[in-house]
Amino acid sequence: MQSQSVRGWLMLEARESVRNLAIYHPPLAGREGLRLDFNENTVGCSPRVLKRLREITAEEIACYPEREPIEAVVADYFDIQPDELLLTNGVDEAIHLLCEIFLQPGDEALIVVPTFAMYEISAAATGARIIKVPTGEDFRLPISALLSQVTPRTRLIAIANPNNPTGRVAEPADLLEITRRTPQAAILVDEAYFEFYRQTLLGQWRDFPNLFVARTFSKAYGLAGLRVGALTGNSEHIRMVNRVSSPYNVNGVALACLPAALADQDYIRRYVEQVREGRELLQQEFAAWSIQYWASQANFVLAKLGLQTTGFVESMRARGILVRDRSRDYGCEGCVRITLGTTEQTTRLLQALRETLAEITTKEVSAK
Ligand SMILES: Cc1ncc(COP(=O)(O)O)c(C=O)c1O
């Protein structure tokens, strides 16, 4: 029950939906080592971005940021119209805005689990009911189960493609079928890992107006620290999102750097190539150790070690490599997620992985 002040008035309290939120606490400090735990670019952004960063003037910093000219550059790069795009403070903000605009208490948001935590947090904070649709053991998108949960109150369906933490992808035709059969809901297809997969639904909102596609510059582009992403969709809907968004949601430094990042596609191509090769090698390594993994289309692989994940994560950390324990995600007990980086980093990763697995296996055998 809400407490009362001396005058008998109610005291300030967060909304009930916020008080009831499950707490999401990714580590925010102590990440020394080779960072293969957050799906970031492991070597950083293009040198062209750094050059632009060094040229930034005091006057540029003093001015409120101008988003529109940069939105035109990004829209051109995506081959869509500028009014079909809103730059956001990372995809995190895009998710938040969509929830703010389309959800109200009593509405339903469908989320296929396991997936990226922010869908549930942003949706639940609005007071909407979260309907979790579990994937099977193969972590494929459960289309029929998802559609069977749709009701007239369904207002949001969020799907990461490729999904995090599994790396699994959904067929474009399936995503469009969901969109077609749920016209009352915003369908968010989160393409944060697009560059490692190369299939997109950008522009499909012209046939399916309730479709939104999100992209980030935090992953392949190495700009996670600048916080910039994009929400794209039907121009009427994007106009509504714009009503709620702060006009200065993306900072001026990020906006200044974004064209330089986009212009250096060679840098992205070279990096992505190495990640894709590394992904193959890591999957082969898991297969060689008879460790279950899920074929990934992103810059990470999820594997079920079948042993104490905390011990594994600690042993890898002792060898200077950070990986992420995903045991607490739905269906991921005993799983770790490992991000891929450059060829040289993959060599280092595989060496540490072999040593760690050998060490753990020896301990297990001697404990028997
Ligand atoms: C599927 C997915 N969407 C969005 C994000 C966050 O992106 P941003 O840094 O643009 O907020 C992540 C980060 O891990 C993610 O995995």
Side-chain angles (χ1 to χ4, degrees):
M1 210 182 78
Q2 210 170 344
S3 44
Q4 293 189 344
S5 73
V6 274
R7 297 167 78 178
W9 295 357
L10 293 180
M11 300 289 281
L12 177 67
E13 253 182 356
R15 285 202 297 266
E16 190 186 352
S17 57
V18 174
R19 296 199 307 273
N20 291 341
L21 277 184
I23 298 172
Y24 170 52
H25 268 321
L28 295 175
R31 293 183 62 223
E32 283 85 35
L34 175 53
R35 296 172 286 97
L36 304 184
D37 53 346
F38 268 48
N39 305 340
E40 296 154 329
N41 181 312
T42 56
V43 282
C45 59
S46 151
R48 291 206 210 175
V49 171
L50 285 185
K51 181 169 176 292
R52 179 66 185 93
L53 208 48
R54 291 193 186 101
E55 289 165 1
I56 285 179
T57 62
E59 195 189 351
E60 278 182 272
I61 302 281
C63 291
Y64 278 103
E66 293 183 2
R67 208 175 53 197
E68 269 182 27
I70 311 302
E71 284 180 332
V73 172
V74 179
D76 188 48
Y77 178 71
F78 286 166
D79 200 17
I80 62 175
Q81 296 304 311
D83 63 0
E84 295 176 313
L85 172 140
L86 172 74
L87 285 180
T88 56
N89 199 271
V91 169
D92 283 351
E93 193 201 12
I95 297 164
H96 185 70
L97 287 170
L98 275 186
C99 292
E100 279 301 307
I101 280 137
F102 294 108
L103 293 177
Q104 55 188 354
D107 284 346
E108 292 168 3
L110 295 193
I111 294 169
V112 177
V113 289
T115 195
F116 182 51
M118 292 310 295
Y119 307 140
E120 179 176 350
I121 293 173
S122 291
T126 66
R129 222 155 66 79
I130 307 297
I131 315 287
K132 293 187 191 176
V133 184
T135 49
E137 281 209 350
D138 60 1
F139 290 138
R140 282 185 197 285
L141 189 70
I143 313 289
S144 324
L146 184 71
L147 287 173
S148 73
Q149 295 284 355
V150 170
T151 75
R153 297 238 50 177
T154 308
R155 285 283 179 276
L156 178 82
I157 303 179
I159 298 170
N161 198 42
N163 193 15
N164 173 15
T166 64
R168 303 297 265 168
V169 292
E171 292 299 322
D174 289 340
L175 295 170
L176 293 177
E177 180 62 6
I178 292 166
T179 312
R180 190 181 66 78
R181 298 208 8 206
T182 324
Q184 76 281 18
I187 311 299
L188 171 64
V189 175
D190 179 350
E191 297 184 351
Y193 300 98
F194 160 77
E195 289 79 8
F196 307 100
Y197 173 46
R198 299 179 186 154
Q199 282 207 43
T200 183
L201 291 187
L202 271 186
Q204 293 286 346
W205 53 79
R206 290 171 203 146
D207 292 326
F208 303 89
N210 53 326
L211 174 73
F212 293 84
V213 176
R215 288 283 186 87
T216 187
F217 297 95
S218 297
K219 306 295 178 184
Y221 284 85
L223 300 181
L226 288 183
R227 309 302 302 131
V228 53
L231 179 65
T232 64
N234 168 283
S235 55
E236 285 298 314
H237 292 322
I238 293 293
R239 199 166 303 136
M240 287 296 140
V241 181
N242 240 314
R243 287 189 177 189
V244 171
S245 146
S246 155
Y248 310 119
N249 59 340
V250 181
N251 72 79
V253 176
L255 291 177
C257 292
L258 198 48
L262 280 174
D264 200 354
Q265 286 302 315
D266 268 355
Y267 187 81
I268 304 297
R269 219 170 291 126
R270 279 197 304 273
Y271 181 73
V272 167
E273 207 50 46
Q274 293 182 65
V275 166
R276 288 166 64 109
E277 282 168 17
R279 188 169 73 192
E280 206 47 47
L281 291 175
L282 179 59
Q283 292 181 165
Q284 283 170 15
E285 190 68 29
F286 284 137
W289 286 85
S290 303
I291 289 173
Q292 185 184 9
Y293 68 91
W294 287 269
S296 167
Q297 296 289 343
N299 64 338
F300 55 83
V301 178
L302 184 76
K304 191 175 190 113
L305 297 177
L307 44 81
Q308 273 294 325
T309 46
T310 39
F312 176 84
V313 171
E314 279 317 308
S315 293
M316 291 293 280
R317 183 190 281 272
R319 289 177 171 82
I321 297 184
L322 309 184
V323 299
R324 192 89 180 265
D325 188 347
R326 300 273 22 160
S327 289
R328 286 206 230 143
D329 292 41
Y330 175 87
C332 294
E333 209 188 332
C335 291
V336 292
R337 189 193 65 197
I338 303 182
T339 306
L340 279 314
T342 62
T343 306
E344 190 234 312
Q345 290 169 336
T346 299
T347 307
R348 220 181 119 191
L349 162 68
L350 293 179
Q351 179 63 28
L353 183 67
R354 285 176 197 134
E355 288 172 15
T356 300
L357 289 174
E359 184 183 280
I360 291 174
T361 314
T362 315
K363 266 193 209 151
E364 278 190 354
V365 170
S366 49
K368 279 181 188 157

